[in-house]
């Protein structure tokens, strides 16, 4: 006897079809992601689009606001003030990034060898500077650098010497490098340390059986195995350094002319917008910096694609 399938049961069987289940899961996934996408759209995509739109115009008292296309970008990439700030930031990157990554890598390798409670306390102490807000950290170092109120003057007086002018034009570069290195090395250390902890410890045991020393294990096994994490850390460092802003802005008010309003490209854009009301050209400078950051990151990823796994 033939059996009849009710419409309700047929619909139930259709609902169990793999394609239907996959589409339902996609809808649920988009539902969970939609709050982030909405915030991302409102607070990032739309402001960026409006800023780019502003960069295509020029405002003057005589002619008002006129559409000039990419003329502002031609001006930006021939602007000696902007280019000088970019050269200064590039020099910061050449000095700060190897110093930060080197300190973070050494600290992570050292902590990876510890198996005591001292390891947890050390990780916390090294990471603590990153937990301090950047503005507060810069103000604290400004006090420490002060030739009148800082502890350096007292310390050097003990030896009958004058304290160095850490905030002078000749030493402000090194002072800023020290602040940023102190602030960010702990964060990079945590990323590298997490990558090290994901390596199977049996690999180290096999290397020791073969006669490898601790230094050989660190340099020939650990570092190559975390190359993708190292590339990620380097990208973070490159982007952060090229966007250098907060520390020089905070120290500018307490330095004797060592930091001007155009010390970095971000500071230049800020000064154009909020001191000279040149919002169109300020948007152009900001986007020009973004273009250079993107190009620098892309070139770095291209030459390190094997280590970062992008060539798979």
């Amino acid at each position: 006897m033939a059996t009849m399938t009710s419409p309700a049961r047929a619909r139930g069987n259709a609902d169990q079809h793999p394609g239907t289940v996959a589409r339902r899961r996609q809808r649920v996934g988009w539902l969970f992601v939609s709050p982030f996408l909405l915030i991302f759209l409102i607070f990032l995509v739309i402001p960026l689009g409006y800023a780019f739109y502003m960069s295509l115009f020029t405002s003057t008292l005589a002619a008002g606001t006129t559409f000039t296309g990419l003329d502002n970008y031609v001006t930006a990439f021939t602007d000696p003030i902007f280019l000088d700030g970019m050269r200064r930031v590039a020099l910061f990157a050449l000095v700060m990034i190897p110093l930060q990554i080197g300190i973070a890598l050494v600290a992570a390798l050292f902590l990876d060898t510890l198996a005591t409670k001292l390891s947890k306390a050390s990780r916390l102490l090294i990471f603590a500077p990153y937990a301090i807000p950047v503005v507060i950290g810069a103000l604290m170092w400004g006090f420490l650098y002060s030739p009148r109120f800082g502890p350096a003057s007292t310390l050097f007086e003990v030896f009958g010497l004058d304290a160095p002018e850490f905030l002078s034009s000749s030493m402000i570069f090194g002072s800023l490098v020290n602040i940023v290195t102190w602030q960010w090395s702990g964060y990079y250390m945590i990323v590298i340390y997490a990558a090290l902890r994901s390596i199977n410890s049996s690999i180290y045991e096999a290397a020791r059986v073969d006669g490898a020393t601790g230094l050989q294990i660190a340099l020939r096994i650990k570092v190559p195995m975390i190359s993708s994490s190292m590339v990620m850390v380097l990208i973070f460092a490159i982007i952060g350094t090229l966007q250098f802003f907060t520390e020089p802005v905070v120290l500018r008010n307490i330095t004797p002319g060592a930091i001007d309003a155009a010390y970095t490209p971000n500071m230049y854009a800020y000064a154009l917008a909020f001191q000279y009301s040149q919002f169109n050209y300020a948007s152009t400078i900001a986007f020009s910096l973004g273009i250079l950051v993107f190009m620098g990151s892309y070139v770095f990823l291209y030459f390190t694609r094997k280590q970062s796994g992008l060539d798979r």
Side-chain angles (χ1 to χ4, degrees):
M1 181 182 294
T3 58
M4 300 294 293
T5 302
S6 65
R9 179 175 298 179
R11 288 194 299 271
N13 293 335
D15 289 341
Q16 300 301 320
H17 190 273
T20 304
V21 174
R23 286 192 295 271
R24 180 182 299 173
R25 289 179 177 177
Q26 288 179 355
R27 288 194 295 268
V28 173
W30 281 110
L31 180 64
F32 280 104
V33 174
S34 58
F36 164 77
L37 293 178
L38 183 63
I39 295 174
F40 182 79
L41 179 67
I42 294 174
F43 292 101
L44 184 64
V45 176
I46 293 177
L48 283 176
Y50 181 66
F52 178 72
Y53 173 79
M54 289 180 62
S55 71
L56 302 178
F57 292 82
T58 300
S59 296
T60 60
L61 292 176
T65 302
T66 57
F67 178 79
T68 54
L70 299 178
D71 289 350
N72 284 336
Y73 288 91
V74 175
T75 303
F77 284 102
T78 56
D79 187 344
I81 300 177
F82 174 67
L83 296 178
D84 185 59
M86 282 303 306
R87 283 191 291 266
R88 186 178 294 109
V89 166
L91 183 58
F92 271 110
L94 291 175
V95 175
M96 281 195 301
I97 293 177
L99 187 61
Q100 291 174 350
I101 304 304
I103 293 175
L105 179 61
V106 171
L109 290 172
F110 175 74
L111 293 175
D112 189 52
T113 61
L114 297 179
T116 63
K117 294 182 178 180
L118 179 62
S119 175
K120 297 180 180 179
S122 300
R123 290 200 304 270
L124 180 61
L125 289 175
I126 298 174
F127 181 75
Y130 176 74
I132 299 174
V134 179
V135 174
I136 296 177
L139 288 173
M140 180 192 71
W141 277 103
F143 166 76
L144 295 176
Y145 287 149
S146 174
R148 292 185 299 171
F149 307 107
S153 60
T154 303
L155 180 62
F156 278 84
E157 284 178 0
V158 173
F159 299 96
L161 302 173
D162 294 330
E165 294 287 342
F166 293 106
L167 299 177
S168 63
S169 300
S170 60
M171 298 192 67
I172 191 63
F173 182 89
S175 299
L176 287 171
V177 168
N178 175 65
I179 294 174
V180 178
T181 302
W182 171 83
Q183 185 89 36
W184 286 92
S185 294
Y187 172 75
Y188 299 144
M189 181 274 297
I190 289 295
V191 176
I192 297 172
Y193 178 78
L196 289 171
R197 299 303 297 175
S198 66
I199 301 175
N200 192 339
S201 59
S202 62
I203 299 176
Y204 307 149
E205 296 174 1
R208 294 189 185 96
V209 171
D210 290 338
T213 64
L215 182 61
Q216 290 173 331
I217 292 175
L219 298 180
R220 298 184 181 181
I221 297 178
K222 292 184 177 182
V223 174
M225 293 190 71
I226 61 169
S227 58
S228 59
S229 297
M230 292 294 297
V231 170
M232 181 184 68
V233 168
L234 285 169
I235 288 294
F236 289 164
I238 291 172
I239 294 174
T241 303
L242 293 180
Q243 295 178 345
F244 200 25
F245 178 76
T246 306
E247 292 84 354
V249 167
V250 173
L251 292 182
R252 184 189 172 197
N253 296 325
I254 58 177
T255 55
I259 300 176
D260 57 21
Y263 192 76
T264 68
N266 268 338
M267 292 179 64
Y268 185 37
Y270 180 86
L272 288 170
F274 299 105
Q275 294 182 16
Y276 303 103
S277 298
Q278 297 183 21
F279 299 105
N280 301 96
Y281 191 52
S283 299
T284 305
I285 292 295
F287 263 91
S288 300
L289 176 62
I291 292 170
L292 293 175
V293 170
F294 174 79
M295 291 176 58
S297 302
Y298 178 81
V299 170
F300 180 80
L301 282 175
Y302 178 80
F303 286 106
T304 59
R305 59 189 183 278
K306 290 185 179 180
Q307 288 78 10
S308 59
L310 296 178
D311 61 337
R312 296 175 183 175

